[in-house]
Amino acid sequence: MAQNELPVSGDCPTTNEMPMLGLGTWKNSDPEACAESVATALETGYRHIDTAQAYGNEDAVGNGIEQAAVDREDVFLATKIWIDNLAYDDVLETAEASLDRLGVDSVDLLYVHWPSRTYDAEDTLAAFNELYDQGKIDRIGVSNFEPEQLAEAIELSDAPIFANQVEIHPLLQQEELREVCADHDVELVAYSPLARGEVFDVAEIESIADDHGVSPAQISLAWLRHHGITAIPKATSGEHIRDNWASLSVSLSDAEIETIDSIETTDRRVDPDFGPWNN
């Protein structure tokens, strides 16, 4: 593949039918810009779009999917229930509202956004299972769950816990959580996979990027993919959307993987007081 030639959609690997590179939409709150970025991503080749109730853009994401010349059934669409809406009845009511805003009958993956505030493992997951049984969600996910919360969710949910979406990048490698998820056959989805831009200033990543003639972003995304982790980098401009997509053409050597694995910095970029690691 020529260096300036972008991979096509079929070149994106999948794990359990989930494309391993998706578009994150956090803070993409301008309706027109958000819809345009989603449409651009889909036309570039992306087939995985991630949003959330808390992002305030589900309607714009739905508009972007509608605008793109891509069939809905070819798009892996995920959203998340916010921490104020995790009581049993609220899950059912607000999930329906999310589907309406997205303009779809079902989503491929629905997450518990955080195990916080109104989250009650038994009641919340019972509601998620009801949505699953009704065919309104194809998979149940959790987000920002530490090993203890994940084990509890797996025990209480009749349907499988498909994925845990957490912050993972070369500066927060989450080795223990990666092992736990692997042991339980739970997919890992990385948000902030570029550490909110901090990977651009990591000498080891910069050096490997220079050797490949690509961006540090592409190296970080290739590192995640090597470890079987799905990444959903946020991007709004066509340039960044295409640059992230081009990471699918990057293959790292064992030595390069080892170099990144050996980075000892721990830098959590998303750290709210209600994060389970703070309680």
Side-chain angles (χ1 to χ4, degrees), residues 168-181:
I168 309 181
H169 45 71
L171 304 181
L172 185 68
Q173 299 195 11
Q174 300 269 33
E175 292 94 337
E176 179 188 0
L177 188 58
R178 281 158 51 187
E179 290 179 7
V180 170
C181 287

Side-chain angles (χ1 to χ4, degrees), residues 101-172:
R101 286 190 292 268
L102 289 163
V104 297
D105 296 325
S106 65
V107 291
D108 298 87
L109 177 57
L110 184 69
Y111 293 99
V112 177
H113 204 153
W114 293 83
S116 182
R117 203 166 299 169
T118 61
Y119 176 72
D120 175 87
E122 188 170 355
D123 286 349
T124 300
L125 291 166
F128 271 66
N129 274 266
E130 181 167 337
L131 292 168
Y132 177 85
D133 291 340
Q134 293 172 351
K136 294 177 180 177
I137 64 176
D138 294 338
R139 299 165 184 82
I140 294 174
V142 296
S143 184
N144 299 297
F145 276 44
E146 292 284 271
E148 312 83 64
Q149 289 88 27
L150 181 60
E152 180 184 43
I154 291 169
E155 181 180 353
L156 290 173
S157 180
D158 292 332
I161 300 298
F162 175 80
N164 187 14
Q165 184 181 130
V166 298
E167 180 182 353
I168 309 181
H169 45 71
L171 304 181
L172 185 68

Side-chain angles (χ1 to χ4, degrees), residues 208 212 218-219 222 225 247-253 256-257:
I208 295 170
H212 284 262
Q218 291 186 39
I219 298 301
R225 188 173 69 253
S247 69
L248 296 172
S249 298
V250 177
S251 296
L252 301 177
S253 69
E256 289 168 334
I257 293 294

Side-chain angles (χ1 to χ4, degrees), residues 70-90:
V70 176
D71 291 340
R72 163 66 187 100
E73 54 266 28
D74 294 331
V75 179
F76 189 97
L77 179 59
T79 192
K80 310 175 195 74
I81 303 288
W82 183 237
I83 59 178
D84 292 334
N85 302 328
L86 292 170
Y88 182 91
D89 289 339
D90 292 338

Side-chain angles (χ1 to χ4, degrees), residues 185-204:
D185 295 322
V186 174
E187 298 292 340
L188 267 171
V189 178
Y191 71 74
S192 297
L194 309 180
R196 303 281 173 89
E198 293 298 312
V199 299
F200 289 88
D201 298 320
V202 177
E204 296 92 334

